[in-house]
Amino acid sequence: MKALILVGGFGTRLRPLTLSVPKPLVEFANKPMILHQIEALKAIGVTEVVLAINYQPEVMLNFLKDFETKLEIKITCSQETEPLGTAGPLALARDKLIDGSGEPFFVLNSDVISEYPLKQMIEFHKVHGGEASIMVTKVDEPSKYGVVVMEESTGKVERFVEKPKIFVGNKINAGIYLLNPSVIDRIELRPTSIEKEVFPKIAAEDKLYAMVLPGFWMDIGQPRDYITGLRLYLDSLRKNSSSKLANGPHIVGNVLVDETAKIGEGCLIGPDVAIGPGCIVESGVRLSRCSVMRGVRIKKHACISSSIIGWHSTVGQWARVENLTILGEDVHVCDEIYSNGGVVLPHKEIKSSILKPEIVM
């Protein structure tokens, strides 16, 4: 079985992290985003993953070579010379996806994090016998999204309503699809949208079905949602494999700590924190709702909340970093500095406080 992951473009919403690596390689819960998906696909028997990409394919492939051997799964790239939207890449990767077996293939949006109930999706697809299955998730504010209107009993999709003004339903496209090869025949090789151009046509022929996603879902393509996604992911880890989470008198709530990280005396860490490999957290540090990436050093009595600390950065003694501060790679925050929502580009030293959210070049 095969799968296509829509990797796409520059990851501008996650800058400054994506100035150092392509977005799918940015760690989420101590593992590159895209690896969460590749592992889930491998677990249900996918043998080949195609990455639809228009930016830095060499970087991606070099990085994923290790995982290819480790996971015993084939990973290839389908490179766009121009952005092709969400459907064009399927036409471009046609020869890689269609092997004559007639088997359906998965398509995933690379920003989506969930429990990936792909096995249930295969069953659902077999039972309804349509041409395409999409995963949908329930949201509290459907007016911000494109809503999928469907028959509750069968899951048959009736129509799509973009950012509805009046309530038509609360289920939105979750960015995970299972498609028969015939879907590719419907797509021209040009920039085109699968959600707006392809799916409505399949729905009009009564061949599109939606399965409601069990468990959590988040598009983690921007910082606020990345932090929320981390909370949901760690919650799910607590339910499904709590042995992976840290415990001890200095831990509050769900915390993930790489085994090579060192944590000093008298710290209070959590809830909803991920600490990456090789990090050094000195004594008396307070961390909550944050992601601390590989090789970071946090000095004594610093306090970090609702922020992302990029690779090999340092946060000085008694510094306070909060309110969606994002530090790019190799940023050094001096002692006793306050950052309120600063977005700091890589290789910077911060010597004066950032009092309101701003970008520091």
Side-chain angles (χ1 to χ4, degrees):
M1 202 173 182
K2 297 186 177 186
L4 179 83
I5 300 179
L6 296 166
V7 173
F10 302 114
T12 45
R13 296 179 304 162
L14 262 191
R15 280 183 184 160
L17 301 170
T18 48
L19 296 172
S20 298
V21 296
K23 183 171 59 177
L25 300 185
V26 171
E27 285 92 350
F28 173 82
N30 292 353
K31 194 190 291 180
M33 286 184 192
I34 201 164
L35 207 54
H36 290 274
Q37 300 186 328
I38 293 174
E39 286 178 352
L41 289 164
K42 165 72 184 171
I44 51 122
V46 168
T47 52
E48 183 175 349
V49 176
V50 181
L51 309 177
I53 187 167
N54 62 24
Y55 174 60
Q56 292 186 321
E58 309 76 26
V59 182
M60 289 282 288
L61 278 180
N62 289 343
F63 179 87
L64 292 166
K65 275 285 167 273
D66 301 346
F67 293 108
E68 230 183 354
T69 30
K70 218 178 285 177
L71 295 171
E72 298 176 342
I73 188 167
K74 186 177 173 191
I75 302 171
T76 58
C77 266
S78 169
Q79 192 184 353
E80 308 163 28
T81 47
E82 58 166 341
L84 290 172
T86 50
L90 278 75
L92 187 67
R94 177 187 193 104
D95 296 345
K96 292 179 188 282
L97 292 170
I98 294 185
D99 53 8
S101 68
E103 255 193 334
F105 58 89
F106 281 101
V107 176
L108 281 79
N109 180 334
S110 72
D111 292 350
V112 165
I113 199 93
S114 73
E115 285 170 13
Y116 306 116
L118 305 176
K119 202 170 187 254
Q120 293 96 299
M121 197 174 189
I122 294 172
E123 286 310 307
F124 174 76
H125 189 77
K126 278 182 186 154
V127 169
H128 70 65
E131 191 174 358
S133 301
I134 66 173
M135 203 82 88
V136 293
T137 185
K138 293 178 181 170
V139 289
D140 296 334
E141 287 186 64
S143 61
K144 297 195 318 200
Y145 303 93
V147 173
V148 180
V149 183
M150 57 190 265
E151 240 174 49
E152 289 301 319
S153 54
T154 61
K156 188 164 80 182
V157 175
E158 293 168 4
R159 61 198 167 101
F160 295 84
V161 184
E162 196 54 43
K163 297 184 179 164
K165 294 279 182 286
I166 53 165
F167 185 85
V168 290
N170 65 344
K171 297 182 192 70
I172 65 162
N173 178 347
I176 302 172
Y177 318 132
L178 185 56
L179 312 176
N180 286 354
S182 56
V183 172
I184 295 188
D185 298 332
R186 298 173 176 267
I187 303 169
E188 294 172 33
L189 184 49
R190 61 177 174 84
T192 165
S193 159
I194 199 163
E195 300 83 3
K196 292 179 181 157
E197 298 180 54
V198 182
F199 287 157
K201 285 180 185 159
I202 303 176
E205 295 174 23
D206 294 338
K207 291 179 180 172
L208 181 66
Y209 289 79
M211 171 181 153
V212 179
L213 179 78
F216 79 100
W217 175 89
M218 200 73 213
D219 176 328
I220 54 172
Q222 52 193 343
R224 184 181 300 278
D225 297 336
Y226 177 105
I227 302 273
T228 304
L230 185 61
R231 172 175 61 80
L232 298 171
Y233 175 84
L234 294 175
D235 268 350
S236 150
L237 215 52
R238 168 73 66 202
K239 290 188 196 92
N240 300 320
S241 49
S242 60
S243 60
K244 291 180 180 170
L245 294 171
N247 46 41
H250 61 296
I251 299 287
V252 186
N254 298 332
V255 175
L256 193 61
V257 180
D258 186 88
E259 57 190 14
T260 61
K262 292 185 170 57
I263 294 176
E265 295 293 303
C267 291
L268 190 57
I269 295 179
D272 309 323
V273 172
I275 299 174
C279 290
I280 295 171
V281 179
E282 295 183 4
S283 58
V285 165
R286 175 73 180 104
L287 302 177
S288 64
R289 298 182 307 281
C290 63
S291 184
V292 179
M293 295 192 176
R294 187 180 59 249
V296 165
R297 185 180 203 106
I298 298 169
K299 296 187 178 173
K300 291 175 186 167
H301 307 292
C303 177
I304 300 174
S305 68
S306 302
S307 297
I308 303 174
I309 311 300
W311 312 270
H312 307 291
S313 292
T314 31
V315 176
Q317 297 185 33
W318 296 101
R320 188 179 181 95
V321 172
E322 62 187 23
N323 190 21
L324 286 180
T325 290
I326 316 292
L327 304 184
E329 182 181 15
D330 180 40
V331 167
H332 302 282
V333 176
C334 294
D335 293 353
E336 299 179 27
I337 291 293
Y338 172 56
S339 170
N340 172 21
V343 173
V344 186
L345 273 63
H347 317 298
K348 292 287 297 177
E349 187 174 23
I350 301 296
K351 293 178 179 168
S352 54
S353 289
I354 301 167
L355 300 178
K356 60 178 200 305
E358 61 174 304
I359 295 171
V360 179
M361 310 286 276

